[in-house]
Amino acid sequence: MQFWNSPFFWAFLAMIGWFLGLLVVGSRTLGNSSLFGAFVVALAEIPRIILPLPFINQSRFGDGTILQIIGWVILIVALVFGTPAFRIEPFTRPQQEEALRTTGLYSVVRHPIMFCDSFWPLGWSLVLRSSIGTILVVVWFMAAYLLTFLEEEKLIEEYGEKYLKYRESVPRIIPFLKFL
């Protein structure tokens, strides 16, 4: 088996992308580089698109049409939560020149893009019946969840009391679950 047929190769690449995401959020130099940010996003996202595909050697669960329909619903909902990415300074750390967003999907969760990043792989993996891809969603969620702590430190630096007040009333990643 070639290494590119292994789901763990693609998971490893994606985790490197998530790790480098810490540099985008935490570094003033790299965090202001749209080019570096685009590279990091591509490194985190493209492997997660490839990982569940049928040509990747892994076990698949049944012919569950119901699971595939649920997968499509999860995928679509997650991608809707990703739409705020089109209205922010792309691929960079939080910047005070941009107004603090608290309306729309930002009134549902503080990190709608992280919601998208956590759950689109679940929908995609269910659609393609990828058992490993489905299991790895726990890893993707933990990576996104931990990254929000660093991002929130930067948001507090940029927006201060305004962000602290917003944070008190809106859940972090999962709608209706204040502790997540």
Side-chain angles (χ1 to χ4, degrees):
M1 174 172 80
Q2 295 95 353
F3 65 91
W4 57 82
N5 282 347
S6 169
F8 300 107
F9 168 74
W10 297 104
F12 177 73
L13 285 181
M15 285 312 297
I16 290 173
W18 279 97
F19 174 74
L20 292 175
L22 296 171
L23 295 176
V24 171
V25 173
S27 166
R28 289 211 179 269
T29 306
L30 293 174
N32 289 325
S33 170
S34 291
L35 184 61
F36 181 72
F39 167 75
V40 168
V41 168
L43 188 58
E45 301 298 338
I46 292 171
R48 295 189 305 153
I49 292 169
I50 295 170
L51 188 147
L53 291 175
F55 64 84
I56 301 299
N57 189 15
Q58 63 186 295
S59 62
R60 307 271 169 192
F61 45 81
D63 291 326
T65 305
I66 299 295
L67 277 179
Q68 289 179 306
I69 292 169
I70 291 169
W72 279 114
V73 170
I74 292 170
L75 180 62
I76 291 166
V77 168
L79 292 176
V80 166
F81 270 80
T83 59
F86 297 110
R87 293 187 303 271
I88 61 173
E89 179 69 30
F91 314 124
T92 59
R93 70 191 303 273
Q95 300 186 19
Q96 194 171 25
E97 299 87 46
E98 290 189 47
L100 177 62
R101 287 170 171 62
T102 59
T103 59
L105 290 170
Y106 287 98
S107 68
V108 178
V109 293
R110 296 192 307 267
H111 301 279
I113 298 167
M114 294 298 188
F115 177 93
C116 174
D117 270 340
S118 297
F119 291 102
W120 76 257
L122 174 60
W124 186 234
S125 294
L126 289 174
V127 166
L128 295 169
R129 302 177 302 119
S130 166
S131 53
I132 293 174
T134 303
I135 292 166
L136 283 171
V137 167
V138 174
V139 174
W140 310 141
F141 178 78
M142 290 307 301
Y145 184 74
L146 294 173
L147 188 58
T148 64
F149 285 94
L150 180 59
E151 186 174 17
E152 290 204 344
E153 284 180 19
K154 301 305 175 188
L155 288 163
I156 292 167
E157 280 178 27
E158 295 296 331
Y159 300 106
E161 192 63 38
K162 195 175 187 180
Y163 187 79
L164 290 171
K165 189 173 181 173
Y166 164 68
R167 185 171 79 170
E168 288 176 12
S169 60
V170 178
R172 183 181 299 267
I173 295 180
I174 310 253
F176 313 113
L177 295 179
K178 199 89 159 121
F179 59 95
L180 289 175

